[in-house]
Amino acid sequence: MAQLHIPVLLERCVELLAPALQHEGAVVVDATLGMGGHSEALLERFPGVTLVGLDRDPDALRLAGERLARFGDRARLVHTVYDRMPEALDSLGIRAVDGILFDLGVSSLQLDRVDRGFSYSKDAPLDMRMDMTSELTAARVLAEYSEDALRRIFFEYGEERLAGRYARRIVEQRQTRPFTTSAELVELIQAATPAAVQRAGHPAKRVFQALRIEVNQELEVLKRAIPAALDSLAVDGRIVVMSYQSLEDRIVKRELQARTTSSAPAGLPVELPEHKPAFRLLTRGAERASAEEQQLNPRATPVRLRAAMRIRSTA
């Protein structure tokens, strides 16, 4: 399993979380458990830590559970989407945590499973569900969404300039033949894309990203998850978030900026305690993987890491 998955920015994540995890009884949440690489490292290096691992993908939970079985009840895994972190912690009797890690986007397990349909480079059913128990698939989106709705998600979630053209062609073609495989969608996109645009990169990349985000409601979930996670941190607790595209990073950046900025009205001669920020940034801007790590692990190339710590209680 370790050969299949190289955790992104592992050492930097451990370094940032370490000051909060040194004491006996510390609790850390891996909000995006995946195949358990980051979780395994945290459990190994901090013997007094209990880890709560969250994932919406039952396959990921099963594989990570096998990987972390040697840690016994120090690893507590929950099948849930990460915006339900407060409910998951409450079900375990945990009131506050010392560390939280988010490794956003599609996991290595999902990318490597051809039958899940996340990749535009391999023919597979148009599924794209991170949780195979959910109902909405990419095929249903393409079959049932209006042209306006398709244009919106391609533009907003894929930042695709040809969103309108692709949406129109999809609606035209589905009248005679529904889309069932990724190759069928790629073929239509390539045929609808001017040659000059195709030379700038694979034309299906942004459309596939947009469909994946829509199927899994990734951005709406993230907008709820980051505030909920910050509210779950104890004083001196730390959060680390790794994003892989600008839409995710923008949500994370905005929430961290809000939590690390004074709420005092302009012009007050003295900042009252209740207006002081409850969090402090631990990174200057978004950190990127080194050139060496990007070469060893291409999936680290787009990563943007941000981190913060709680410096006071607001209760």
Side-chain angles (χ1 to χ4, degrees):
M1 191 185 305
Q3 292 176 338
L4 293 174
H5 173 56
I6 304 173
V8 173
L9 288 174
L10 176 61
E11 294 304 322
R12 183 57 173 149
C13 290
V14 171
E15 177 187 20
L16 285 164
L17 291 169
L21 305 183
Q22 303 285 355
H23 64 279
E24 186 70 28
V27 177
V28 62
V29 178
D30 187 341
T32 48
L33 180 65
M35 296 179 73
H38 289 96
S39 289
E40 182 178 44
L42 292 169
L43 287 164
E44 284 178 341
R45 302 190 198 189
F46 305 103
V49 155
T50 294
L51 178 132
V52 178
L54 312 180
D55 209 293
R56 66 171 78 186
D57 187 339
D59 285 344
L61 285 169
R62 176 178 56 82
L63 291 171
E66 294 172 2
R67 184 175 192 166
L68 304 178
R70 61 191 172 98
F71 298 104
D73 60 7
R74 291 181 57 215
R76 309 177 74 177
L77 310 187
V78 182
H79 178 218
T80 191
V81 185
Y82 49 67
D83 66 332
R84 305 299 299 273
M85 185 185 303
E87 291 87 343
L89 293 174
D90 187 61
S91 72
L92 297 173
I94 298 171
R95 298 184 60 186
V97 301
D98 303 283
I100 300 173
L101 174 66
F102 284 89
D103 187 5
L104 301 173
V106 62
S107 74
S108 298
L109 172 64
Q110 292 155 348
L111 284 172
D112 293 338
R113 284 282 300 275
V114 173
D115 60 320
R116 302 292 282 271
F118 287 100
S119 175
Y120 53 81
S121 62
K122 300 171 184 176
D123 191 22
L126 279 166
D127 194 308
M128 300 194 190
R129 289 175 294 174
M130 292 179 178
D131 182 350
M132 298 300 286
T133 66
S134 61
E135 296 183 359
L136 186 62
T137 66
R140 278 191 59 185
V141 172
L142 294 172
E144 299 175 7
Y145 280 33
S146 67
E147 181 179 333
D148 285 345
L150 290 172
R151 180 190 302 111
R152 178 187 61 80
I153 67 170
F154 295 161
F155 182 75
E156 292 184 7
Y157 299 161
E159 300 179 294
E160 175 54 66
R161 290 178 295 174
L162 298 177
R165 177 185 295 207
Y166 294 151
R168 184 170 61 254
R169 296 287 182 89
I170 287 167
V171 171
E172 290 172 355
Q173 181 164 312
R174 76 186 184 190
Q175 303 303 318
T176 56
R177 179 164 57 94
F179 294 90
T180 59
T181 70
S182 53
E184 293 168 347
L185 179 58
V186 169
E187 181 181 3
L188 177 142
I189 292 172
Q190 288 179 321
T193 306
V197 176
Q198 294 201 35
R199 287 193 290 270
H202 200 293
K205 180 178 180 180
R206 294 187 181 90
V207 171
F208 271 64
Q209 172 182 297
L211 286 171
R212 189 200 82 215
I213 290 173
E214 175 64 18
V215 167
N216 298 288
Q217 293 294 294
E218 292 175 47
L219 299 184
E220 294 307 310
V221 168
L222 185 61
K223 288 176 184 177
R224 296 189 294 269
I226 298 301
L230 292 169
D231 290 342
S232 299
L233 277 177
V235 175
D236 296 327
R238 292 175 169 228
I239 183 171
V240 175
V241 186
M242 290 184 285
S243 308
Y244 293 83
Q245 39 100 343
S246 60
L247 298 173
E248 293 172 337
D249 185 56
R250 203 172 299 148
I251 292 169
V252 176
K253 177 183 178 181
R254 184 166 55 242
E255 186 63 29
L256 291 185
Q257 283 182 334
R259 298 292 188 111
T260 56
T261 302
S262 171
S263 61
L268 280 185
V270 177
E271 183 184 43
L272 299 175
E274 61 266 29
H275 292 303
K276 291 182 178 179
F279 290 82
R280 174 170 62 83
L281 293 176
L282 298 173
T283 55
R284 178 176 293 182
E287 294 185 0
R288 310 298 294 264
S290 66
E292 180 182 8
E293 179 168 354
Q294 291 181 36
Q295 185 174 9
L296 291 172
N297 184 10
R299 288 176 182 168
T301 301
V303 72
R304 300 171 174 88
L305 180 150
R306 297 181 187 273
M309 68 175 291
R310 180 181 281 279
I311 55 177
R312 74 174 183 89
S313 173
T314 55

